[in-house]
Amino acid sequence: MKRADLPLVTFTLLGQLALGAVVLAAMQPLYPAGQAPGAVTAAQALALAAAAALLTGLAVSLLHLGTPLGAVRALGNLGSSWLAREVLFSGLFAALTLGAALSPFLGLPTDNLLMLSVLTGLAAVFTMARVYQVTIHPAWSTPYTAVSFFSAAALLGVAAGAVLLAVLGAPAIPLAPALLLAGGTALVLQLAATVLYGLGLANGPRAAREAWSLLASRHRLSVTLRFAASLLGLGALTFADHLLGAGSPAAPWLALNAAVALVAGELMGRLLFFAAGVPNRVGI
Amino acid sequence: MPQLGFHVDMSACMGCHTCAVACQDRHDLPAGQRFRRVVEVSGGAWATPPGGAPVPHVFAYYISISCNHCEKPMCVANCPTGALSKRPQDGVVTIDQKVCIGCRYCAWSCPYGAPQYSPQKGKSQKCDLCVDLLQRGKDPACVSACPSRAIHVGPVDDLRLQFAGSMDLHGLPDPKLTTPNALYTPHKDAVRRERP
């Protein structure tokens, strides 16, 4: 992995965190009756956090450019460039999410804006995956990239939910079962996709085999730790939910640690994704 | 004007890198940035026949490579700004330096490593087939510098009639990816086959 890729690691992770958080915010009509005022506040807090994450990600992504002041020109080839489309949808996603967060002050319909945010967020993460899929890197040009990005959005959304639980407490928003279901499904999907991905790389062209060799030897421990962190995060969230129900003061602390473990798992996963980016090239 | 391209005779290339140096000099490129590169491909192993002494079954040859001004250039399709384009008059792929923002996505898109990022300029640059020299009736720097006369330039259809060759060779990426407008007369060990 090159140092120049770090802004892209940050941008993709923050974009996917934003999608997870906005999906969570859009679930507010499903929150129990009687909790509506608190739930609306939570949804807006989540939307604000998502907008902040997105805007930070977009700002950091400029560091990847050799000429950051020309960034607006990245919208110049929407007809064929997935990168141009990614920039467009990420910008729209940020604007709509910020609009949803500030909707009470602007007099705009929060629900509608959140739904539009979710749709543009899904489009943004889809285009994000396509950007990597249409390159000369066999480790990126697979369906695994999309699976990995969307499951990262789910697990980072669960991390955002864990923070919400820590702040508001279980009785206010009983989200833990839904979070655990979403997180567990995403993790199982990611594990299954990783096995298929590994098999595909190991039996692919030379650059793919080089990528597999990196993951299976030099980064073997990181691959193990990456999934261990996600599993630990979901386990900690389960336990935190139990403690929240019992009114334990340790519960918020444990929920926050669950969020940290989930974010750490996705960060390691993304660093590994970039590390496996061995290009097809002349001479191999 | 028809599509222009290069022909490289790999069987004549001795890997002296003169083409790469001439190109670097012509375009005033810093160390590390090379629009034309010479890549060594080597492999094989020693084999010991029953009761005999070890015998080398090894090979080595050179691929002089630059932009192939492809028919379906991934760099042009993927460039978010539209800075990369294929000139309609001769099919040469160029980068508009005023439009490029240095996102390096072209470098991720080209299997031949043609577009290269310049940290000094904050933009990507690439081989332009020395079109200014061609317009003056001269050859590109790499062509005129090659001591083996292994590199030729011209309308690619004419080159295909004049020389036997392929782009589907051991050491070159799959030509189906971008349909390159170039032709290589293969070194005897570059013809695609299973290696021992």
Side-chain angles (χ1 to χ4, degrees):
Chain A
M1 206 198 105
K2 295 173 186 161
R3 188 178 292 180
D5 294 335
L6 285 175
L8 302 179
V9 170
T10 310
F11 168 68
T12 53
L13 280 176
L14 288 177
Q16 288 150 27
L17 166 66
L19 174 59
V22 165
V23 169
L24 200 60
M27 287 165 66
Q28 52 116 350
L30 304 178
Y31 297 161
Q35 300 298 325
V40 169
T41 306
Q44 281 156 0
L46 278 167
L48 192 62
L54 264 171
L55 292 171
T56 306
L58 282 166
V60 170
S61 73
L62 296 181
L63 299 176
H64 175 70
L65 300 180
T67 311
L69 292 177
V72 72
R73 294 201 292 274
L75 292 166
N77 189 17
L78 290 167
S80 70
S81 172
W82 283 102
L83 181 53
R85 294 167 192 164
E86 180 199 30
V87 173
L88 174 71
F89 281 111
S90 298
L92 282 175
F93 184 28
L96 286 166
T97 307
L98 192 61
L102 302 177
S103 55
F105 310 104
L106 302 172
L108 298 169
T110 309
D111 293 357
N112 294 349
L113 281 171
L114 279 175
M115 284 316 296
L116 282 173
S117 292
V118 170
L119 291 175
T120 49
L122 288 169
V125 173
F126 175 75
T127 52
M128 222 176 258
R130 289 297 296 156
V131 163
Y132 293 89
Q133 285 175 321
V134 293
T135 64
I136 52 166
H137 304 78
W140 299 349
S141 317
T142 72
Y144 177 78
T145 301
V147 174
S148 161
F149 282 16
F150 279 105
S151 58
L155 284 162
L156 291 169
V158 172
V163 173
L164 198 66
L165 283 176
V167 174
L168 296 180
I173 301 179
L175 269 179
L179 290 178
L180 288 169
L181 180 67
T185 308
L187 187 58
V188 168
L189 192 67
Q190 209 167 60
L191 272 166
T194 302
V195 172
L196 294 174
Y197 173 67
L199 285 172
L201 289 182
N203 296 295
R206 174 106 174 244
R209 295 199 302 274
E210 279 183 30
W212 168 244
S213 169
L214 281 172
L215 293 175
S217 53
R218 189 194 296 179
H219 299 305
R220 189 172 48 191
L221 181 63
S222 303
V223 173
T224 311
L225 286 175
R226 175 253 173 289
F227 285 111
S230 299
L231 205 59
L232 189 70
L234 290 179
L237 185 59
T238 311
F239 195 44
D241 180 42
H242 176 71
L243 290 182
L244 278 167
S248 166
W253 179 85
L254 194 58
L256 282 177
N257 277 285
V260 169
L262 287 167
V263 171
E266 290 315 306
L267 175 61
M268 272 193 278
R270 192 53 42 83
L271 291 170
L272 287 166
F273 174 81
F274 276 89
V278 179
N280 262 319
R281 59 193 187 275
V282 175
I284 64 169
Chain B
M1 198 174 179
Q3 169 72 52
L4 296 177
F6 285 115
H7 162 258
V8 179
D9 186 349
M10 288 165 76
S11 61
C13 177
M14 55 186 167
C16 67
H17 293 250
T18 305
C19 53
V21 173
C23 172
Q24 208 166 13
D25 185 44
R26 162 87 181 123
H27 295 282
D28 197 20
L29 300 178
Q33 203 183 357
R34 288 165 298 165
F35 295 165
R36 180 170 282 282
R37 290 155 295 127
V38 179
V39 178
E40 182 183 303
V41 182
S42 60
W46 289 77
T48 309
V55 181
H57 286 289
V58 295
F59 62 91
Y61 55 87
Y62 301 95
I63 301 176
S64 171
I65 190 98
S66 70
C67 177
N68 294 312
H69 305 281
C70 303
E71 205 58 40
K72 295 185 290 181
M74 278 168 69
C75 57
V76 172
N78 283 352
C79 174
T81 63
L84 273 144
S85 63
K86 197 164 164 64
R87 301 197 331 169
Q89 64 268 38
D90 51 19
V92 173
V93 175
T94 59
I95 301 181
D96 185 341
Q97 292 293 295
K98 287 182 189 152
V99 180
C100 177
I101 56 173
C103 70
R104 294 168 245 203
Y105 197 36
C106 49
W108 281 8
S109 307
C110 176
Y112 301 100
Q116 293 176 11
Y117 179 69
S118 163
Q120 291 84 4
K121 297 195 163 135
K123 291 168 188 290
S124 287
Q125 297 176 294
K126 65 181 285 301
C127 158
D128 62 356
L129 215 94
C130 290
V131 282
D132 54 331
L133 290 178
L134 286 174
Q135 277 165 1
R136 285 186 272 150
K138 295 182 175 177
D139 281 336
C142 55
V143 174
S144 49
C146 176
S148 304
R149 292 289 175 262
I151 310 175
H152 307 95
V153 70
V156 77
D157 286 338
D158 293 355
L159 293 173
R160 286 180 182 130
L161 288 173
Q162 194 180 346
F163 300 102
S166 168
M167 286 299 287
D168 189 15
L169 301 173
H170 181 73
L172 285 175
D174 186 346
K176 290 193 207 82
L177 288 172
T178 57
T179 319
N181 281 309
L183 188 68
Y184 280 75
T185 299
H187 183 275
K188 64 182 172 62
D189 291 313
V191 179
R192 274 199 196 278
R193 59 173 184 261
E194 286 302 313
R195 297 274 165 204

